[in-house]
Amino acid sequence: MHTTPWLLPLFLTIPGVAAGNPAGPSPATGRVDFAKEVRPILERCQPCHFKAGAVYGRYPFDRPDTVHRLGERLFTRIKDEKDQAILRAFLAQGW
């Protein structure tokens, strides 16, 4: 990334950017969006956890309620710290 030196401190104050994570709470709502931020993380669990998948009936990852029900148990497979941070923020929002 190329920026002018005086812009760097301003750029690093944008939520998520300092951590190297462009995703984060939506500036408009301050909430993590399931479709835009959470679902892409879970899509690597295809085909099993999406429609017609072997475990879709028990653990459908295309539904936010499944993420809330499983909570941090998702981290047994999702190891990336940035992804975990997004999921934690989503879980902290509650319903």
Side-chain angles (χ1 to χ4, degrees):
M1 171 176 73
H2 181 280
T3 60
T4 349
W6 65 271
L7 284 176
L8 189 57
L10 175 64
F11 185 71
L12 291 176
T13 62
I14 299 170
V17 171
N21 179 9
S26 163
T29 64
R31 295 181 61 82
V32 175
D33 183 83
F34 179 80
K36 292 180 182 177
E37 299 165 271
V38 175
R39 185 176 169 139
I41 294 169
L42 301 175
E43 284 180 347
R44 67 184 70 142
C45 302
Q46 289 205 48
C48 297
H49 290 281
F50 285 81
K51 290 192 180 188
V55 293
Y56 181 76
R58 286 182 42 211
Y59 303 110
F61 282 3
D62 60 348
R63 298 180 185 165
D65 58 309
T66 303
V67 176
H68 282 283
R69 185 168 37 98
L70 292 173
E72 290 193 12
R73 287 183 286 162
L74 289 166
F75 299 166
T76 59
R77 299 284 182 155
I78 298 170
K79 303 289 187 190
D80 184 89
E81 290 180 20
K82 294 175 200 167
D83 292 344
Q84 288 182 357
I86 292 169
L87 290 167
R88 279 191 183 98
F90 179 73
L91 292 168
Q93 292 175 171
W95 292 91

